[in-house]
Structure formats: structure tokens, C-alpha cells
Amino acid sequence: MSSAVLDLRRVTKLYGEFRAVDDLSLSVPAGCVYGFLGPNGAGKTTTLRMILDILKPTSGSIAVLGAPSATEVRSRIGYLPEEKGLYKKMRAWSVIAYFGTLKGMSRAAAKKRAFELLERYGLKDFATARTEALSKGMGQKVQVLASIAHDPELVILDEPFSGLDPVNQGVLEDIVTDLRGRGRTVLFSTHVMQHAERLCDRIVVIAKGRLLFDGTVDAARRLAPRRVRIETADDPGPLRRMPAVAALHDAGGGKWEVELREGTDPQSLLQACFEMPVRLRSFDAAEPSLHDVFVKLVGTDAREATFR
Amino acid sequence: MRCAFLVAWREFVENVKTKGFWLGIFLFPAILVFAGSVPLILSKKAVPTRHFVLVDFDGKYAPAIRAELARQRDAELGDALKTHARRAPYTEPFASFVRPASTNGTVWHGGELDLVRWKADAGTNWLAVPGFVPPRPGLLERPLPPGLENASAPAELEARLRPWLRGETLLPAGDGIPATKLFAAVVIPTGYGPGATNAIDFWCENQADTGLRDLVQRRLGEEFRHSEYRRLGLDPAVVARIDALRAPIVSLDPRKAAGEERVGLSDLLRQWAPSFFVYLLWVAIFAVSQMLLNSVIEEKSNRIIEVLLSSVTPGELMMGKLAGVAAVGAVMLAAWIGSLVAVALFQVSHFAGGAAPDSPVATLPADVIALVRTTWLLPAFAFYFIAGFLLYAGVFLTIGSLCNTLKEAQNFMGPIMLVLMVPLFLMPFIPRDPNGPIATFLSWIPWYTPFVMMNRITAHPPARDVVGTAVLLAGFTALVLWGCGRIFRMAILRTGQPPRLVEMFRWIRGR
């Protein structure tokens, strides 16, 4: 079934005069991992809070798992907010179990599940520790586990990777992969492109509350200019005359970066080099990264947001 | 509803796990016991024997003072022996002089020693009772230190006594008494008497302990008056009889059944018991609201609130918190009331041993039970506790939701605490005129209704006041909770500065 798990129609959120989210429409199909990308202050958290019905949109409509409000289906949703915290005096397992029961699990089932999850994700030894005794990363993992304890159909994670070391980031990626493996839908926001690149089937990019891109990762990559890195002792200047070449940047030490026009096959550049001839010591036609896509889409906005 | 219950349960369990809760539970009875017994112990044990010297240059008044001291000592010993008799009533030789006391058919252990008969029977051996250790005397006259007996004038004597009075020189040990400091010196100068211009010099470093000074003054005042009576040809015994004349007066309550109109201890209890409940209400609201504030601020500053709000509605969260903390408060109150009853019963059984069956102390437990059964005290307390708690807790909860730190919350708490202080100040006045204009007026102010009406409830307030204020209180509480709910919903996710008043009104109006 690929019907939409989440459907946002022309959603706008105003804070006084400030447009936090501006006419945003979005549809998240079931069973996919959806990346929610955008610079700081883009409106990601506001959007997620509106999806969860913690905030009400000023206008527009949101359907979650077929219901007009997340409140009606909240036991089928898991949520990890951006700012993370736990009850300091409670024990790791009891926090997970508590949130599980709030989502409709029985106490016994929630307790059993809490211990299972802690064991599976490497926190077995800390199951009965008070959360104030846990490191920041461990605490964050406990919170992630608390958000998925009730095995929700839709998991919304707001900046789940921030503050985690590479090993724990790996654990979190495993959690997301596991969820996808069991047909759950995961929506997570991040501004670390590598995670989005590795995990997401589709991404959404927003900035200043507006939708800039919504589609597959491949489609996103096609938006960014294709760059080829070459290394040569010759002068590659003549390549500039090729219609396929948009720009040529000297990276120093005989290294150059060739920016190709959209739709150009890097093979044609290689062929042209042989014909010129530009004798190549190396030729690297890597695919554009999401990083490039992100910078291209929101570069200006991000800088503005930083200085706002 | 299920979520509200889960929130309440967590709130209850987590609060019950705190040290503060148990401290609160045990501190109150501990203070009760402490307040009840320590002054008693202190007055008996902690005040040391005061050693003093008495010098009367004319030799005219010292015997009267010594007689008074002996009388006081006799009374001390008599009281101690009575206490001993209560603990061990069957001790021979005085067992036959102890009357076992019974109240309502219950025999209390211990009984009243008939001291006068016992003394008449035992004569000088009246203190020779097995197991009885006479208490230390409170005041003990000592002879003048050696070398001072020959002082010819008060000034000379006093100058030479100073090192002793200042504790630089100690009185010599002897007679099982260790070397001690001279507590005081009473010096009666030559020519002292009624109409004389000179005065007794009372030398003492500790001017706060006036026991000896008062004794001397009281006794010599009596002496002066008696000598004056005699000079005027009056018999001091007649004067004493005249002095003892009292105008009898009985308080009667027209609301009570014929034949039982006399106002007794149970009526005083009826009048003042509500005050106790008001204090209890006040302390409970205060303690519990502090818990609420802490718990909301924890959730807010830890950002747990957002996860919670993805699982429960703000309304459920608020309801759950109020219910959970109310349960904590109720447990605390039950523990306090329980411990109070326990302490009271113990005290009564322990100290009322020899009281006559119809004496106020002996009938106290029955009076308390009757009070609870025949008045609306307990149901009223339950109603006013719930309403008052919801009203104030709702406000405190909202304050918690507005603030990110306890420090911020203190700013808001100031004015609320001022409002909360008023019923505490008024408490002594309301029972005196429970249906007067001040009490009536305050009853109709909803945030004072729980305290003031609680205070009036046993004084038969007009039905109009009872029902009217209850309806008003319930309505007002509902309104406040509704408004608090609206603010809570908006404020709970907010970070940074607390909102301005204008903003809060906008939230209440739902814009």
C-alpha cells in the first residue's frame, strides 16, 4: 500500500506577522524513510509540531494516518522532539515503559518491550539506572527507544542525530533501517546530509517555511550541477569552449573542477579530453552529493537565517 | 481519561518516592510530639537548680521567704509523687490512697493519689515510697561563702559577693552538690519594710529567669498587706476570704437541647477545631502546590513536555497532574490527621489517668468523635480541600507552565503568597464572630471561601451562605481551571521570557 501516511495541504503557520511555515503541501507515502531537510529556522520543528497537533496551523489542513488530527491516531505515532530530556529520577526502562503505556500499551507489555529494546540497542546494563546517571548520548538513545516502544506506524524524529557520536549515530541508523524493514514510515529532520543520503528514500527541503524540493534522493541529485574533478599537467582551458561545460575552476596543483550543464553525460567530457588532447592523470566523475543540492537550494537562505 | 490516569499515577509514584514527601509525612507528627513533650521535659529537667544566698540585715523578712520556698518545694514534691502514683498506682505503702480513674467504663492505667490523706497518714515519711526519686529542687538557698558573714552593710557585702555572682569563684562543693556558680543574691537592707524608701537588691546575671525575684516580691508583698490589715484591725483570714470571692457565671448556648445548654470543653472544641482544619488545609495546599510547580518546571525545562504532548492532550496532562498531586496531598493529610489522633489518644490515655470520669480531659476523645459525627466538619473539609486545592493548584500549575526556572516562578509566587496569607492572619478572628460581617464578606470571595467557610462551618452559618458560597466557589474554580487550561496549553511549549499579561488574556480568549 503506498497511500499517503501524511498529507499536508497548503499549511501556513503565522506567529504574529512572522510566517514560520508558508503554504506548505506535502505527501508522505507509507513505508518509506522521508528526510526533512532545511537550514536552521526553516520551519521544520514547527511543521512537525503541527503534524503532531501540538500546534494548530493558521490555515491549511493536515491528515495523519487518514485522520484529520494526530490526536485521534496518536497511539500509532512515535515522536522524538528536537530538544531532548528525560525525567531525571526515573529509571531508563521505566521512562520507556511510561511513554509506551501513554501510547496505549499495557504496563506489563510496556515493561517487557522496554527491556527488549534496551538489550537490542546496547543499553542492557543501564536498564535500571536513573536517567540522570546516563551520558547524553545514552539518554538520547533511551528517548529514541521511548518513541518507538509502542511500535508505531509513523515515526517522527526531529534532529535525531544531533549530539550523538559516530558509533551511536550508526546505532540510530540501524534503528531507522529496522523500522523501514518492518514497513514503518519514518520522517526525520536533519541538516546532516550524509544521514539523509544513506537513509532516505525521499527528501523534502524547506527554507523560510517554503517548500523548495520534494522527491527522491536521485531526483534531488539531478538538481545539483554535475562536477567532474580532473588532474592534468596540460592546460584544460579549451574545455571551456565545450557547450556541455558550464564552468571550469582551478583547484591548484594541476587539479581542476569542471562544472557540467544539466543533463550532460560525464563520458562526453572524457571523450573531449582525449580528443583535445588533455592528458589526464585522474578523472573523477562522482555523483553530486545532497550537500551540493542543499547548498544550491538553500545557500542564501541559510546564511540569512544564521545572521538573523 | 486513561492517559490522565497514567499521568496522575506517575506523578503520585514519583512524588511519593521523594525524600521531601516522607519528610513531610513524618515531620508533622514529629513536631507535634516534640512541641507537646519538650517544654514539659525542659521545664522539669533542663532548668538547673538555682543556688542563691539570702541575707536579711534586720532578720525580719527572711523567715517568710524561707517559708514560701519550703511551701513551693513541698508542692514540687507533691506533684512528683502524684506523677509517680499514676505510673505505679499499686505501690505500697500508698496503694490504698490511689483512686483508680475510669471514664465511660474504660479503666485508664494509673489513678489519682489523694495527697492530703496520704500525707496525714504517712506523716514525715510521706516521701519514703519505693522507686520514688524526689526531683531536684528548682531553688536552693546556700549559706554565705566563708568570710562574708561578717559584712556590716549591704554595699560591703555586695562588693565582696561579685566574684561569686560573676562565676569567677564557685560555691564550695558538699552534701552531694558539686561546686557551683552562685545564681543570685537577695539582700534585704536595714530598715526595709512597708513605706520604706529603700529596696531589696536582687543580684543576678540572668535577669530573664525571674522565678526567685517573683517569689520574693510576691511573698513580701503579701507580708506587707497582711501587716497593714493587722495595723488597721482587720483579720488577714477574713481578707483572704473576701479576696477569694468570685462572681459565678455559666455560658449557655440557646441552640442546644434543654438541660444541656452548658457550654463546656466540647463546645470550645467545636469552636476551635475548624481553625485546626484551616491550618491543615493551608499547609497542604502550600506543600502540594510546591510539588506541582517543581514537576511542571522539570518537564518544561527538560523538554519532556513535547513528547508528553504528542501522547496526551494538554487537558489530560493538566488533569492528570492535578489528580496525582492531589492524591499525594490527600495521603499526606490523612497521615497528619491520623498521627494527630494517635498522639491525642496517647496523651489522653497517658496523662488523664487520674482525671474524674466527667472531667473535660477524660471526655475529650468522646467529644472529638461526637464533633466529627454530629457536624459537617469532615465532609466540609473534604469539599473545601478539593475545591481549594483545585483552585490554587490550577494557578500554581499555570505559573509552572509559564516559567522555565523556579527562580522565574518565584516572581509570580510573591503576589499569590500574599493572597494566601490573608486567611492565616484572619484565622484567630473568625471563630470569635463566625457569622459576623467580616467572616460573611470573606466567605463570598471565592479564593478565601475554603478557609473562611471551613472556619465557620461548626458555628451554624446561614444556609444561604453555605450553599451560595459553595456554588460560587465551584463555579469560580471551574472558571479558573478552564482559563488555566487555556494558558497552560499555550505556555507549556513556550521557551524564553514568560509572556506578558496581555498575551495571557489573548490566550484565554482563544486568539
Side-chain angles (χ1 to χ4, degrees):
Chain A
M1 190 183 86
S2 65
S3 67
V5 163
L6 191 61
D7 202 17
L8 276 69
R9 296 246 166 96
R10 309 206 61 179
V11 171
T12 297
K13 178 72 187 176
L14 298 177
Y15 287 114
E17 296 295 303
F18 177 67
R19 279 179 181 272
V21 175
D22 190 4
D23 201 21
L24 183 69
S25 294
L26 189 63
S27 183
V28 177
C32 75
V33 176
Y34 221 93
F36 205 55
L37 314 183
N40 299 333
K44 296 184 299 263
T45 298
T46 305
T47 307
L48 296 184
R49 283 179 176 176
M50 285 193 290
I51 291 172
L52 289 157
D53 206 21
I54 294 173
L55 293 177
K56 302 269 181 232
T58 311
S59 65
S61 70
I62 299 174
V64 189
L65 295 167
S69 152
T71 315
E72 293 173 24
V73 288
R74 60 193 182 195
S75 62
R76 293 157 65 195
I77 306 172
Y79 174 51
L80 174 77
E82 179 183 5
E83 289 182 75
K84 289 138 193 110
L86 292 163
Y87 291 108
K88 286 187 201 149
K89 300 284 174 200
M90 282 176 86
R91 305 189 187 277
W93 75 265
S94 69
V95 172
I96 297 176
Y98 174 58
F99 286 117
T101 53
L102 281 182
K103 293 289 195 180
M105 297 177 85
S106 73
R107 288 184 66 80
K111 184 174 177 179
K112 187 163 165 265
R113 173 92 169 135
F115 279 101
E116 265 170 31
L117 285 171
L118 287 165
E119 182 167 1
R120 190 189 312 161
Y121 294 106
L123 285 169
K124 190 187 172 193
D125 296 341
F126 297 94
T128 55
R130 287 185 199 278
T131 63
E132 63 189 345
L134 300 180
S135 72
K136 190 183 169 204
M138 283 194 269
Q140 201 163 323
K141 273 201 313 194
V142 168
Q143 256 199 301
V144 175
L145 298 181
S147 68
I148 61 164
H150 57 297
D151 198 17
E153 290 166 53
L154 171 64
V155 182
I156 296 174
L157 310 170
D158 198 355
E159 299 284 356
F161 294 99
S162 68
L164 289 179
D165 63 38
V167 176
N168 281 313
Q169 288 184 2
V171 174
L172 186 52
E173 285 190 21
D174 290 346
I175 294 176
V176 173
T177 314
D178 289 351
L179 286 167
R180 174 167 47 194
R182 285 186 294 117
R184 308 300 182 221
T185 310
V186 181
L187 174 65
F188 74 88
S189 78
T190 183
H191 44 239
V192 182
M193 293 306 134
Q194 288 87 333
H195 298 133
E197 210 149 28
R198 275 203 293 276
L199 292 170
C200 295
D201 303 312
R202 294 175 70 93
I203 59 165
V204 162
V205 181
I206 67 169
K208 286 186 173 173
R210 283 191 305 272
L211 182 78
L212 298 181
F213 176 81
D214 176 13
T216 62
V217 174
D218 285 338
R221 285 207 181 99
R222 282 198 288 275
L223 289 179
R226 194 71 191 259
R227 287 168 204 272
V228 177
R229 283 177 202 87
I230 58 171
E231 200 176 341
T232 176
D234 298 337
D235 173 22
L239 288 174
R240 284 200 179 91
R241 289 196 298 272
M242 276 184 70
V245 174
L248 183 68
H249 307 286
D250 186 353
K255 292 175 181 161
W256 300 78
E257 203 173 80
V258 187
E259 200 175 296
L260 299 178
R261 288 193 202 285
E262 212 172 302
T264 307
D265 186 349
Q267 287 298 327
S268 62
L269 179 70
L270 187 61
Q271 202 175 351
C273 286
F274 280 126
E275 285 166 3
M276 291 267 166
V278 176
R279 284 163 300 169
L280 296 171
R281 280 208 291 266
S282 75
F283 183 89
D284 176 11
E287 276 204 87
S289 65
L290 276 187
H291 181 88
D292 300 322
V293 179
F294 187 79
V295 171
K296 179 173 187 278
L297 285 174
V298 302
T300 339
D301 286 343
R303 265 191 293 279
E304 275 178 16
T306 311
F307 291 111
R308 194 165 57 202
Chain B
M1 226 32 227
R2 182 182 173 272
C3 286
F5 172 75
L6 286 168
V7 171
W9 180 247
R10 193 205 77 88
E11 202 67 40
F12 179 76
V13 169
E14 291 304 312
N15 269 309
V16 164
K17 278 189 201 162
T18 59
K19 287 185 203 85
F21 173 80
W22 292 104
L23 213 64
I25 289 256
F26 289 116
L27 209 58
F28 180 75
I31 288 174
L32 217 63
V33 171
F34 191 78
S37 56
V38 164
L40 217 67
I41 295 168
L42 278 185
S43 68
K44 283 196 176 143
K45 303 229 166 98
V47 178
T49 302
R50 305 296 201 188
H51 298 255
F52 69 97
V53 291
L54 170 63
V55 183
D56 183 357
F57 278 88
D58 284 344
K60 213 164 132 192
Y61 290 110
I65 294 173
R66 290 195 178 111
E68 180 67 20
L69 282 163
R71 200 197 55 73
Q72 186 167 311
R73 175 64 183 155
D74 208 48
E76 254 173 37
L77 291 169
D79 282 347
L81 193 65
K82 276 185 170 178
T83 308
H84 181 72
R86 241 172 262 149
R87 293 210 190 103
Y90 307 115
T91 315
E92 289 300 340
F94 63 29
S96 54
F97 297 88
V98 179
R99 178 171 55 85
S102 79
T103 51
N104 303 339
T106 316
V107 177
W108 301 96
H109 77 89
E112 185 77 358
L113 172 69
D114 192 335
L115 198 62
V116 180
R117 270 181 57 222
W118 163 244
K119 272 174 140 177
D121 187 78
T124 50
N125 286 331
W126 70 285
L127 287 174
V129 172
F132 175 67
V133 182
R136 286 182 303 174
L139 293 164
L140 185 63
E141 193 193 346
R142 301 288 299 271
L144 271 178
L148 267 67
E149 300 93 338
N150 55 359
S152 56
E156 187 200 343
L157 174 74
E158 286 163 9
R160 288 167 64 187
L161 265 174
R162 273 170 186 261
W164 272 275
L165 286 163
R166 284 205 294 252
E168 291 156 14
T169 313
L170 294 182
L171 292 171
D175 259 352
I177 305 165
T180 44
K181 188 188 164 209
L182 179 63
F183 171 73
V186 182
V187 181
I188 308 175
T190 322
Y192 181 73
T197 49
N198 55 4
I200 296 178
D201 290 342
F202 178 74
W203 290 84
C204 184
E205 264 190 349
N206 180 355
Q207 293 291 341
D209 188 342
T210 57
L212 177 60
R213 189 182 187 280
D214 292 346
L215 180 142
V216 170
Q217 193 170 29
R218 190 175 62 240
R219 184 58 208 253
L220 293 192
E222 218 170 278
E223 285 295 309
F224 285 10
R225 284 193 297 276
H226 283 201
S227 74
E228 195 63 9
Y229 296 147
R230 279 191 293 270
R231 197 177 63 78
L232 294 171
L234 296 168
D235 178 3
V238 173
V239 173
R241 216 168 46 240
I242 294 168
D243 258 358
L245 282 180
R246 292 286 175 267
I249 187 159
V250 181
S251 300
L252 298 166
D253 189 336
R255 289 168 305 197
K256 297 175 82 178
E260 294 171 10
E261 300 96 334
R262 275 182 90 126
V263 176
L265 183 76
S266 62
D267 298 275
L268 282 179
L269 201 66
R270 188 172 294 252
Q271 195 180 0
W272 292 102
S275 294
F276 165 74
F277 279 98
V278 175
Y279 276 111
L280 221 52
L281 185 66
W282 197 90
V283 172
I285 286 179
F286 188 75
V288 161
S289 56
Q290 209 66 31
M291 285 179 201
L292 259 185
L293 207 62
N294 283 336
S295 114
V296 181
I297 289 176
E298 182 195 11
E299 277 168 6
K300 214 186 156 187
S301 62
N302 278 353
R303 312 301 301 155
I304 305 165
I305 206 77
E306 214 173 321
V307 192
L308 279 176
L309 289 183
S310 72
S311 310
V312 304
T313 63
E316 284 170 329
L317 181 62
M318 191 166 143
M319 226 153 69
K321 284 198 160 301
L322 286 178
V325 174
V328 174
V331 168
M332 222 170 199
L333 274 177
W336 290 349
I337 294 177
S339 61
L340 184 84
V341 170
V343 168
L345 285 181
F346 173 78
Q347 292 265 4
V348 168
S349 73
H350 203 72
F351 293 107
D358 55 346
S359 77
V361 184
T363 59
L364 188 68
D367 282 343
V368 171
I369 291 165
L371 182 71
V372 167
R373 278 178 51 188
T374 58
T375 62
W376 286 90
L377 205 57
L378 275 193
F381 184 65
F383 171 73
Y384 291 121
F385 173 73
I386 292 169
F389 166 78
L390 285 178
L391 180 59
Y392 282 97
V395 174
F396 282 114
L397 194 69
T398 309
I399 290 176
S401 73
L402 292 170
C403 304
N404 295 302
T405 59
L406 262 184
K407 207 171 155 191
E408 263 175 35
Q410 302 297 347
N411 295 335
F412 282 93
M413 294 283 286
I416 308 241
M417 285 322 294
L418 276 183
V419 170
L420 255 174
M421 289 312 267
V422 173
L424 216 55
F425 289 135
L426 289 172
M427 206 110 60
F429 304 107
I430 288 168
R432 269 180 218 158
D433 192 9
N435 294 317
I438 295 181
T440 308
F441 173 71
L442 286 172
S443 305
W444 287 91
I445 301 175
W447 52 93
Y448 293 138
T449 306
F451 303 105
V452 180
M453 282 312 288
M454 190 65 225
N455 231 331
R456 297 176 59 191
I457 203 72
T458 53
H460 308 282
R464 180 197 51 192
D465 278 16
V466 179
V467 177
T469 57
V471 170
L472 184 66
L473 173 65
F476 185 76
T477 304
L479 186 74
V480 166
L481 282 181
W482 174 81
C484 286
R486 302 203 69 132
I487 297 180
F488 183 81
R489 201 160 53 197
M490 298 299 289
I492 199 75
L493 278 173
R494 196 185 151 107
T495 49
Q497 282 286 312
R500 287 165 302 143
L501 269 179
V502 194
E503 237 172 310
M504 285 193 256
F505 277 118
R506 219 167 40 217
W507 291 347
I508 292 177
R509 278 166 35 218
R511 301 236 183 113

